[in-house]
Amino acid sequence: MTGVFMEQHIVKVKNKKGVRVIPGFGLSMGVTLAMLGCLVLIPLASIFLSASRLGFGEFIGVVTSRQVVSGYVVSLSCAFLAALVNAVFGIVLAWVLVRYEFPGKRLMDGMIELPFALPTAVAGIALTYLYSDQGWIGSLFAKVGIKIAYTRIGITIAMVFVGIPFVVRAVQPVLEKLDRQYEEAAMMLGANKPYTFFRVILPELFPALLAGFGLAFARGIGEYGSVVFIAGNIPYKTQIAPLLIMTKLEQYKYADATAIALVLLLISFLLMFLINSIQIYMQRFSKA
Amino acid sequence: MADKNEKDLDRDLVGDGIHSIQKVIQPHKAYSRPVIKYILIGVSVLFLAVMLGIPLIVVAVNALSDGWAAYKEAVLDEYTVKALLLTLLATVSAVAVNTVFGVFAAYLLSKFYFKGRQILATLIDIPFSISPVIAGLVFILTFGNIGWMGDFLKAHDIKIVFAVPGVILATIFVTFPFVFRELFPVLNAQGKDEEEAAALMGAGGFTIFRRITFPHIRWALLYGVILCTARAMGEFGAVSVISGHLRGKTNTLPLHVEILYNEFNTTAAFAVSSILVILAVLILIARNIVEWKRK
């Protein structure tokens, strides 16, 4: 099956002389490269240009200073925790939306994208208000001595907020397409429900879940608007890496800002590479 | 003795048979036990209410906490209106530029095969994966006083950083892949047989696009435009870095919210936020209508 598909594919790709029948290759190539170059690649190259002027020793000095390292640690740990929370609730939400019928389901489905549509600054001030010591939810926790706003818990909550849609929208389509025969077979063979879920369904969902987790993680690391208000900018404690870049810029320390940004950029690229690899693996997996 | 055994066997078989037939006919009913179903739905509703619902109520309640008159004053304030206009300008520019790019790039990557196709697709996705703060920073490092184009721009008296063009450029950057990402899978799945047939029958490039390609991507295009609008309208990090926060000049609506909030003018901050919430909800409704129509 796969072999036949591949053969057809190759025949389609390389017709005998490599002649392109469809017009517009030059034009669309030109427009694409020009716009991508001017608007994205050339500005992005500036960051590498500026960093190269920095000198290696200076670069390492900035990046390994205590404040900057703690910024990375806060960003990465909170984003990781938030992505984990989203992975768990994302599976539950996707499951409920695909498998159950109940009133208000369409509304629920439509609400998932709210963090995409709502401006991050608005989400930021609303969450800060809600979870501060005087806020509706924050005051409940303040009674038992737990502070949420201006701590890492608050940062994590804001990152959960921005990451919800990623996991749900990654898992949902896979769950929809999942053939129920396997579940039925597992049940006929005597597997109970948790066993069927964890041993039959979850492995099928895992690549999609991992991709969603990665996207939510990446978004959490880079997120600024919704986190900055609830973080409160306390050095060594709640200073996230993007906020450090902002602070350095306000002090006109462009070299420092560039160095911090470069490391963050490399982390993002690494994550993106991993997510892409997973998705390519998934495509092969689903074709086979 | 034998007779009885046979009867027993018969009954057992029938009993078991009905049981397993039921299992085959209604596996899902047996599978999704109501208790678990209601617990899971309850958890989902609670999670969404706490994470998404209550923050919206917070905005509404705080916006109106000083009464209707105060709300109206904050919303109709001179700086709010100017910020709204700049947000609209940046959003329209970003949507226009990214739609043109998205259509050309999706056409290129789905209808033609060439070396570096995969790399190009990855490069287009870059803005999606990097922090908005870095997106703002790259423009400062390019066009700012310290940037390599800084001297040239100064000599010709062009201001980009801490001015409106910078705000627009940053907005375009962060929303760059949105339209492309919606169009590409649709065009890729459609293949290129129809276009090839049309070309062989003598249709020109524009005719092929208008009569064959466009009808396939109509809804995906609208969907991409909606997503792009949502993100462009709410962009904060990138714009915050590059705008310089000049009130009435380079302040977008989300930046205006931040300024009001930092001045402890909470009611006004939430009042201005409510404009953005209303726009976001409208966008969500449009998104759902388009998705429903696509199916």
Side-chain angles (χ1 to χ4, degrees):
Chain A
M1 183 64 200
T2 315
V4 173
F5 179 81
M6 289 292 281
E7 246 172 55
Q8 279 177 346
H9 199 61
I10 288 164
V11 170
K12 256 188 196 171
V13 174
K14 291 179 183 169
N15 51 12
K16 279 164 203 164
K17 288 169 193 167
V19 181
R20 291 195 177 95
V21 199
I22 306 172
F25 177 74
L27 177 69
S28 46
M29 182 64 117
V31 172
T32 305
L33 287 185
M35 290 181 87
L36 183 67
C38 290
L39 292 167
V40 175
L41 297 183
I42 292 174
L44 204 60
S46 307
I47 205 168
F48 293 98
L49 194 75
S50 306
S52 69
R53 268 184 265 164
L54 201 59
F56 190 69
E58 208 182 337
F59 174 78
I60 295 295
V62 172
V63 173
T64 55
S65 73
R66 204 185 134 210
Q67 196 184 19
V68 175
V69 170
S70 76
Y72 290 134
V73 170
V74 171
S75 274
L76 287 172
S77 60
C78 290
F80 187 79
L81 204 63
L84 271 185
V85 172
N86 273 329
V88 173
F89 282 101
I91 285 240
V92 172
L93 280 167
W95 180 268
V96 164
L97 287 173
V98 173
R99 289 294 169 94
Y100 299 143
E101 288 301 328
F102 54 94
K105 181 176 149 172
R106 275 197 62 84
L107 180 72
M108 197 179 190
D109 196 34
M111 259 181 86
I112 301 284
E113 245 92 12
L114 186 71
F116 274 157
L118 194 69
T120 52
V122 174
I125 65 169
L127 288 173
T128 310
Y129 187 87
L130 193 59
Y131 289 101
S132 72
D133 289 348
Q134 287 84 41
W136 297 346
I137 297 179
S139 58
L140 298 178
F141 283 93
K143 277 179 199 154
V144 279
I146 300 172
K147 265 179 78 75
I148 296 183
Y150 316 122
T151 66
R152 290 186 191 184
I153 306 173
I155 298 174
T156 310
I157 287 176
M159 286 174 177
V160 170
F161 175 86
V162 294
I164 295 169
F166 290 100
V167 180
V168 180
R169 292 300 185 232
V171 173
Q172 206 176 357
V174 183
L175 196 58
E176 266 164 15
K177 277 185 207 142
L178 198 68
D179 197 339
R180 289 206 182 172
Q181 276 183 14
Y182 300 114
E183 288 163 54
E184 281 162 21
M187 277 184 42
M188 296 294 277
L189 291 170
N192 60 11
K193 285 155 214 165
Y195 192 85
T196 313
F197 179 78
F198 285 106
R199 298 299 293 271
V200 178
I201 302 172
L202 200 58
E204 289 282 326
L205 298 181
F206 195 68
L209 180 66
L210 212 57
F213 175 86
L215 287 171
F217 186 38
R219 180 72 203 266
I221 294 171
E223 180 54 30
Y224 178 72
S226 53
V227 180
V228 66
F229 296 100
I230 208 166
N233 204 2
I234 306 162
Y236 308 117
K237 281 187 180 156
T238 64
Q239 239 173 7
I240 52 167
L243 188 58
L244 270 176
I245 299 175
M246 205 71 173
T247 318
K248 297 285 184 195
L249 279 178
E250 275 163 8
Q251 298 163 348
Y252 300 106
K253 290 179 179 166
Y254 290 107
D256 292 14
T258 308
I260 301 168
L262 191 66
V263 173
L264 210 57
L265 203 59
L266 293 178
I267 294 174
S268 304
F269 283 165
L270 190 71
L271 261 176
M272 202 167 97
F273 174 74
L274 285 176
I275 296 166
N276 270 357
S277 311
I278 293 168
Q279 274 166 347
I280 289 169
Y281 171 79
M282 268 168 71
Q283 276 162 12
R284 269 187 209 152
F285 191 68
S286 60
K287 265 178 199 166
Chain B
M1 183 79 177
D3 195 45
K4 199 191 167 199
N5 257 349
E6 214 165 89
K7 259 187 184 169
D8 267 1
L9 202 68
D10 222 34
R11 204 181 58 213
D12 280 0
L13 265 179
V14 170
D16 226 322
I18 286 173
H19 192 62
S20 51
I21 285 170
Q22 267 178 342
K23 237 184 176 178
V24 173
I25 294 172
Q26 304 174 309
H28 311 315
K29 206 168 188 182
Y31 185 65
S32 50
R33 199 193 291 160
V35 182
I36 295 177
K37 175 179 165 176
Y38 292 127
I39 289 176
L40 288 180
I41 292 177
V43 166
S44 303
V45 169
L46 197 69
F47 180 73
L48 286 184
V50 170
M51 290 312 301
L52 306 179
I54 297 179
L56 286 192
I57 299 170
V58 165
V59 172
V61 168
N62 279 294
L64 295 169
S65 64
D66 285 355
W68 187 246
Y71 176 79
K72 231 169 144 181
E73 196 189 326
V75 169
L76 294 177
D77 179 69
E78 185 198 344
Y79 291 121
T80 310
V81 174
K82 277 188 176 164
L84 178 65
L85 289 177
L86 181 59
T87 297
L88 290 180
L89 174 69
T91 306
V92 170
S93 315
V95 168
V97 169
N98 294 335
T99 303
V100 171
F101 172 77
V103 170
F104 275 107
Y107 189 75
L108 175 73
L109 287 173
S110 60
K111 304 298 168 197
F112 306 104
Y113 289 90
F114 51 90
K115 271 184 188 164
R117 188 168 160 266
Q118 193 61 48
I119 297 172
L120 195 57
T122 313
L123 287 177
I124 293 172
D125 267 351
I126 286 179
F128 190 69
S129 65
I130 72 176
S131 175
V133 174
I134 297 179
L137 176 70
V138 297
F139 286 105
I140 288 188
L141 294 176
T142 312
F143 300 117
N145 280 337
I146 51 144
W148 51 271
M149 276 184 75
D151 293 334
F152 173 81
L153 292 175
K154 224 176 202 174
H156 292 80
D157 206 28
I158 304 168
K159 265 193 84 76
I160 291 182
V161 171
F162 307 136
V164 174
V167 172
I168 294 174
L169 276 176
T171 311
I172 292 173
F173 186 97
V174 289
T175 55
F176 199 66
F178 273 66
V179 179
F180 167 77
R181 277 188 148 226
E182 290 306 317
L183 296 186
F184 179 62
V186 178
L187 280 182
N188 213 19
Q190 181 225 338
K192 51 181 190 170
D193 297 352
E194 292 172 52
E195 276 87 354
E196 275 174 349
L200 290 172
M201 285 190 271
F206 184 67
T207 312
I208 292 179
F209 178 76
R210 189 169 57 91
R211 299 287 293 273
I212 294 170
T213 314
F214 184 71
H216 283 289
I217 57 171
R218 208 181 307 156
W219 289 113
L221 187 64
L222 195 56
Y223 194 73
V225 165
I226 289 171
L227 288 183
C228 188
T229 307
R231 185 69 205 275
M233 180 190 85
E235 182 46 40
F236 179 73
V239 174
S240 175
V241 170
I242 206 167
S243 87
H245 297 87
L246 304 172
R247 248 191 189 185
K249 278 186 183 161
T250 61
N251 237 2
T252 62
L253 221 44
L255 294 180
H256 193 53
V257 169
E258 185 199 17
I259 291 182
L260 291 171
Y261 186 82
N262 287 341
E263 284 172 351
F264 300 104
N265 198 346
T266 318
T267 313
F270 279 109
V272 175
S273 296
S274 72
I275 305 174
L276 288 165
V277 169
I278 292 167
L279 289 174
V281 170
L282 287 178
I283 287 170
L284 267 190
I285 293 171
R287 191 203 80 93
N288 279 298
I289 292 173
V290 168
E291 197 172 70
W292 184 67
K293 288 255 183 191
R294 259 168 106 175
K295 282 174 183 167

PDB file of all heavy atoms in Angstrom, chain A residues 134-150:
ATOM      1  N   GLN A 134      -6.933  40.569  47.067  1.00  0.00           N
ATOM      2  CA  GLN A 134      -8.283  41.104  47.220  1.00  0.00           C
ATOM      3  C   GLN A 134      -9.261  40.504  46.197  1.00  0.00           C
ATOM      4  O   GLN A 134     -10.450  40.730  46.262  1.00  0.00           O
ATOM      5  CB  GLN A 134      -8.289  42.640  47.042  1.00  0.00           C
ATOM      6  CG  GLN A 134      -7.678  43.401  48.196  1.00  0.00           C
ATOM      7  CD  GLN A 134      -6.166  43.484  48.047  1.00  0.00           C
ATOM      8  OE1 GLN A 134      -5.660  43.702  46.955  1.00  0.00           O
ATOM      9  NE2 GLN A 134      -5.447  43.285  49.140  1.00  0.00           N
ATOM     10  N   GLY A 135      -8.726  39.754  45.244  1.00  0.00           N
ATOM     11  CA  GLY A 135      -9.556  39.255  44.152  1.00  0.00           C
ATOM     12  C   GLY A 135     -10.484  38.138  44.573  1.00  0.00           C
ATOM     13  O   GLY A 135     -10.379  37.612  45.676  1.00  0.00           O
ATOM     14  N   TRP A 136     -11.409  37.768  43.681  1.00  0.00           N
ATOM     15  CA  TRP A 136     -12.440  36.778  44.008  1.00  0.00           C
ATOM     16  C   TRP A 136     -11.825  35.434  44.383  1.00  0.00           C
ATOM     17  O   TRP A 136     -12.223  34.821  45.360  1.00  0.00           O
ATOM     18  CB  TRP A 136     -13.383  36.598  42.808  1.00  0.00           C
ATOM     19  CG  TRP A 136     -14.122  37.841  42.468  1.00  0.00           C
ATOM     20  CD1 TRP A 136     -14.248  38.962  43.235  1.00  0.00           C
ATOM     21  CD2 TRP A 136     -14.850  38.094  41.273  1.00  0.00           C
ATOM     22  NE1 TRP A 136     -14.999  39.897  42.588  1.00  0.00           N
ATOM     23  CE2 TRP A 136     -15.386  39.388  41.384  1.00  0.00           C
ATOM     24  CE3 TRP A 136     -15.096  37.352  40.111  1.00  0.00           C
ATOM     25  CZ2 TRP A 136     -16.161  39.974  40.383  1.00  0.00           C
ATOM     26  CZ3 TRP A 136     -15.871  37.919  39.120  1.00  0.00           C
ATOM     27  CH2 TRP A 136     -16.398  39.230  39.250  1.00  0.00           C
ATOM     28  N   ILE A 137     -10.871  34.966  43.584  1.00  0.00           N
ATOM     29  CA  ILE A 137     -10.289  33.657  43.868  1.00  0.00           C
ATOM     30  C   ILE A 137      -9.077  33.808  44.792  1.00  0.00           C
ATOM     31  O   ILE A 137      -8.879  33.028  45.721  1.00  0.00           O
ATOM     32  CB  ILE A 137      -9.889  32.935  42.562  1.00  0.00           C
ATOM     33  CG1 ILE A 137     -11.142  32.688  41.721  1.00  0.00           C
ATOM     34  CG2 ILE A 137      -9.180  31.620  42.867  1.00  0.00           C
ATOM     35  CD1 ILE A 137     -10.883  32.006  40.398  1.00  0.00           C
ATOM     36  N   GLY A 138      -8.285  34.858  44.563  1.00  0.00           N
ATOM     37  CA  GLY A 138      -7.082  35.079  45.369  1.00  0.00           C
ATOM     38  C   GLY A 138      -7.382  35.222  46.845  1.00  0.00           C
ATOM     39  O   GLY A 138      -6.644  34.722  47.694  1.00  0.00           O
ATOM     40  N   SER A 139      -8.518  35.873  47.191  1.00  0.00           N
ATOM     41  CA  SER A 139      -8.841  36.094  48.600  1.00  0.00           C
ATOM     42  C   SER A 139      -9.162  34.769  49.303  1.00  0.00           C
ATOM     43  O   SER A 139      -8.884  34.605  50.486  1.00  0.00           O
ATOM     44  CB  SER A 139     -10.016  37.068  48.730  1.00  0.00           C
ATOM     45  OG  SER A 139     -11.135  36.562  48.052  1.00  0.00           O
ATOM     46  N   LEU A 140      -9.741  33.827  48.552  1.00  0.00           N
ATOM     47  CA  LEU A 140     -10.028  32.510  49.144  1.00  0.00           C
ATOM     48  C   LEU A 140      -8.730  31.816  49.538  1.00  0.00           C
ATOM     49  O   LEU A 140      -8.624  31.225  50.614  1.00  0.00           O
ATOM     50  CB  LEU A 140     -10.797  31.635  48.149  1.00  0.00           C
ATOM     51  CG  LEU A 140     -12.166  32.132  47.692  1.00  0.00           C
ATOM     52  CD1 LEU A 140     -12.766  31.177  46.675  1.00  0.00           C
ATOM     53  CD2 LEU A 140     -13.098  32.271  48.885  1.00  0.00           C
ATOM     54  N   PHE A 141      -7.748  31.910  48.633  1.00  0.00           N
ATOM     55  CA  PHE A 141      -6.470  31.250  48.908  1.00  0.00           C
ATOM     56  C   PHE A 141      -5.658  32.031  49.937  1.00  0.00           C
ATOM     57  O   PHE A 141      -4.871  31.444  50.679  1.00  0.00           O
ATOM     58  CB  PHE A 141      -5.665  31.072  47.624  1.00  0.00           C
ATOM     59  CG  PHE A 141      -6.162  29.940  46.777  1.00  0.00           C
ATOM     60  CD1 PHE A 141      -7.091  30.142  45.776  1.00  0.00           C
ATOM     61  CD2 PHE A 141      -5.696  28.652  47.000  1.00  0.00           C
ATOM     62  CE1 PHE A 141      -7.553  29.091  45.002  1.00  0.00           C
ATOM     63  CE2 PHE A 141      -6.147  27.589  46.244  1.00  0.00           C
ATOM     64  CZ  PHE A 141      -7.086  27.807  45.239  1.00  0.00           C
ATOM     65  N   ALA A 142      -5.845  33.354  49.977  1.00  0.00           N
ATOM     66  CA  ALA A 142      -5.096  34.177  50.927  1.00  0.00           C
ATOM     67  C   ALA A 142      -5.448  33.785  52.360  1.00  0.00           C
ATOM     68  O   ALA A 142      -4.612  33.846  53.259  1.00  0.00           O
ATOM     69  CB  ALA A 142      -5.392  35.651  50.685  1.00  0.00           C
ATOM     70  N   LYS A 143      -6.705  33.349  52.565  1.00  0.00           N
ATOM     71  CA  LYS A 143      -7.140  32.951  53.916  1.00  0.00           C
ATOM     72  C   LYS A 143      -6.332  31.765  54.436  1.00  0.00           C
ATOM     73  O   LYS A 143      -6.058  31.662  55.626  1.00  0.00           O
ATOM     74  CB  LYS A 143      -8.626  32.581  53.895  1.00  0.00           C
ATOM     75  CG  LYS A 143      -9.532  33.793  54.014  1.00  0.00           C
ATOM     76  CD  LYS A 143     -10.997  33.371  53.967  1.00  0.00           C
ATOM     77  CE  LYS A 143     -11.867  34.556  53.609  1.00  0.00           C
ATOM     78  NZ  LYS A 143     -13.109  34.147  52.973  1.00  0.00           N
ATOM     79  N   VAL A 144      -5.996  30.836  53.514  1.00  0.00           N
ATOM     80  CA  VAL A 144      -5.178  29.697  53.960  1.00  0.00           C
ATOM     81  C   VAL A 144      -3.686  29.969  53.765  1.00  0.00           C
ATOM     82  O   VAL A 144      -2.863  29.067  53.851  1.00  0.00           O
ATOM     83  CB  VAL A 144      -5.575  28.393  53.225  1.00  0.00           C
ATOM     84  CG1 VAL A 144      -6.801  27.792  53.863  1.00  0.00           C
ATOM     85  CG2 VAL A 144      -5.795  28.637  51.748  1.00  0.00           C
ATOM     86  N   GLY A 145      -3.357  31.222  53.475  1.00  0.00           N
ATOM     87  CA  GLY A 145      -1.956  31.606  53.431  1.00  0.00           C
ATOM     88  C   GLY A 145      -1.238  31.331  52.122  1.00  0.00           C
ATOM     89  O   GLY A 145      -0.018  31.279  52.093  1.00  0.00           O
ATOM     90  N   ILE A 146      -2.022  31.123  51.032  1.00  0.00           N
ATOM     91  CA  ILE A 146      -1.362  30.898  49.750  1.00  0.00           C
ATOM     92  C   ILE A 146      -1.489  32.157  48.890  1.00  0.00           C
ATOM     93  O   ILE A 146      -2.593  32.634  48.634  1.00  0.00           O
ATOM     94  CB  ILE A 146      -2.002  29.702  48.996  1.00  0.00           C
ATOM     95  CG1 ILE A 146      -1.882  28.430  49.840  1.00  0.00           C
ATOM     96  CG2 ILE A 146      -1.332  29.507  47.634  1.00  0.00           C
ATOM     97  CD1 ILE A 146      -2.637  27.249  49.282  1.00  0.00           C
ATOM     98  N   LYS A 147      -0.355  32.698  48.519  1.00  0.00           N
ATOM     99  CA  LYS A 147      -0.363  33.849  47.607  1.00  0.00           C
ATOM    100  C   LYS A 147      -0.260  33.331  46.174  1.00  0.00           C
ATOM    101  O   LYS A 147       0.565  32.472  45.889  1.00  0.00           O
ATOM    102  CB  LYS A 147       0.825  34.763  47.901  1.00  0.00           C
ATOM    103  CG  LYS A 147       0.489  35.915  48.838  1.00  0.00           C
ATOM    104  CD  LYS A 147       1.712  36.767  49.095  1.00  0.00           C
ATOM    105  CE  LYS A 147       2.027  37.696  47.942  1.00  0.00           C
ATOM    106  NZ  LYS A 147       1.104  38.840  47.876  1.00  0.00           N
ATOM    107  N   ILE A 148      -1.110  33.859  45.284  1.00  0.00           N
ATOM    108  CA  ILE A 148      -1.059  33.390  43.887  1.00  0.00           C
ATOM    109  C   ILE A 148      -0.477  34.462  42.972  1.00  0.00           C
ATOM    110  O   ILE A 148       0.505  34.233  42.280  1.00  0.00           O
ATOM    111  CB  ILE A 148      -2.455  32.947  43.409  1.00  0.00           C
ATOM    112  CG1 ILE A 148      -2.929  31.734  44.223  1.00  0.00           C
ATOM    113  CG2 ILE A 148      -2.387  32.574  41.927  1.00  0.00           C
ATOM    114  CD1 ILE A 148      -4.245  31.184  43.802  1.00  0.00           C
ATOM    115  N   ALA A 149      -1.088  35.647  42.998  1.00  0.00           N
ATOM    116  CA  ALA A 149      -0.564  36.725  42.162  1.00  0.00           C
ATOM    117  C   ALA A 149       0.808  37.137  42.688  1.00  0.00           C
ATOM    118  O   ALA A 149       1.057  37.093  43.895  1.00  0.00           O
ATOM    119  CB  ALA A 149      -1.512  37.917  42.177  1.00  0.00           C
ATOM    120  N   TYR A 150       1.686  37.529  41.786  1.00  0.00           N
ATOM    121  CA  TYR A 150       3.056  37.948  42.100  1.00  0.00           C
ATOM    122  C   TYR A 150       3.910  36.800  42.640  1.00  0.00           C
ATOM    123  O   TYR A 150       4.881  37.016  43.352  1.00  0.00           O
ATOM    124  CB  TYR A 150       3.074  39.138  43.070  1.00  0.00           C
ATOM    125  CG  TYR A 150       2.073  40.190  42.701  1.00  0.00           C
ATOM    126  CD1 TYR A 150       1.082  40.587  43.579  1.00  0.00           C
ATOM    127  CD2 TYR A 150       2.083  40.753  41.411  1.00  0.00           C
ATOM    128  CE1 TYR A 150       0.127  41.520  43.214  1.00  0.00           C
ATOM    129  CE2 TYR A 150       1.137  41.677  41.038  1.00  0.00           C
ATOM    130  CZ  TYR A 150       0.156  42.056  41.937  1.00  0.00           C
ATOM    131  OH  TYR A 150      -0.787  42.962  41.560  1.00  0.00           O
TER     132      TYR A 150
END
